[in-house]
Amino acid sequence: SELIGVMLGDGYIKTNKTQLGISLNSETDYAYALYVQGLIKELFNLNSSICNDGRDKSVTVLVSSRNLVEFMIDKGLKAGDKVINQVDIPRWIGLQEEYKVACLRGLMDTDGSFYAYLHRVNGKVYRNCALDFTNHSLPLLKSIKDILIDINCSPTLAKYKVVLHKKEDI
């Protein structure tokens, strides 16, 4: 379920259904690309490539396996554009807390952000932190919010973000 979260975040399945990839930032996420590559090897005993064409700051973990693609589709993922398809977390993940947490980990590792921000109340400046997940798939955002509520967090749902502000939630 962690890999499902990774795929729902920065992953894709090519429409020809023979390859899947996870695109990450080559400068900040290269170690994570190696982690994902190891996860794929551990789960499916498949080798993957880490590709960087040098034109931008992206690196892609790429797997060519029709069987793996069919398996991921059977588990609830879709080929093609995730926003157009309005993807969601597969229903089976919601059946066990460990699946939910692992999927959430993959989602946050790919499309999550942690940041500090300032705000004023009655002239006093406060410094706080937030953890958010940004995506344009509305069913996915709602499912993430529901999972966070299920694990006793207090998320806020903005237009394309689910945000945690409480220190204990973060």
Side-chain angles (χ1 to χ4, degrees):
S1 57
E2 181 179 1
L3 187 59
I4 296 286
V6 170
M7 290 297 297
L8 288 168
D10 284 342
Y12 62 87
I13 295 175
K14 291 202 174 185
T15 52
N16 66 10
K17 299 182 181 173
T18 60
Q19 289 182 323
L20 64 81
I22 299 100
S23 294
L24 304 160
N25 183 296
S26 62
E27 293 178 350
T28 59
D29 297 331
Y30 193 81
Y32 188 68
L34 293 172
Y35 171 79
V36 170
Q37 189 177 43
L39 187 61
I40 292 165
K41 181 70 172 175
E42 178 185 335
L43 293 172
F44 303 105
N45 197 29
L46 290 172
N47 293 318
S48 58
S49 301
I50 295 183
C51 307
N52 183 345
D53 67 14
R55 291 182 295 196
D56 59 13
K57 295 180 181 179
S58 70
V59 63
T60 301
V61 178
L62 190 63
V63 184
S64 297
S65 169
R66 184 176 300 277
N67 289 339
L68 177 59
V69 169
E70 288 173 3
F71 176 81
M72 296 301 259
I73 290 170
D74 286 345
K75 290 296 179 188
L77 295 182
K78 295 179 181 177
D81 189 289
K82 292 179 294 190
V83 176
I84 290 171
N85 288 327
Q86 287 293 289
V87 297
D88 196 1
I89 295 171
R91 184 171 289 143
W92 63 270
I93 287 177
L95 300 177
Q96 288 191 30
E97 187 158 324
E98 72 178 282
Y99 294 165
K100 291 190 265 188
V101 171
C103 183
L104 189 59
R105 181 183 315 115
L107 286 160
M108 294 305 270
D109 281 346
T110 53
D111 281 349
S113 297
F114 175 79
Y115 55 90
Y117 65 96
L118 302 174
H119 68 277
R120 292 181 194 270
V121 177
N122 297 327
K124 187 173 179 185
V125 176
Y126 294 89
R127 180 181 307 266
N128 293 91
C129 294
L131 180 64
D132 80 32
F133 176 83
T134 303
N135 198 286
H136 286 253
S137 175
L138 302 180
L140 182 59
L141 291 171
K142 182 183 179 321
S143 291
I144 290 169
K145 180 183 177 200
D146 292 344
I147 288 172
L148 288 167
I149 290 168
D150 286 349
I151 61 172
N152 298 314
C153 292
S154 302
T156 339
L157 181 59
K159 187 172 184 177
Y160 296 114
K161 291 182 179 205
V162 176
V163 186
L164 295 174
H165 292 284
K166 289 184 176 180
K167 183 179 179 179
E168 57 272 15
D169 291 349
I170 295 171

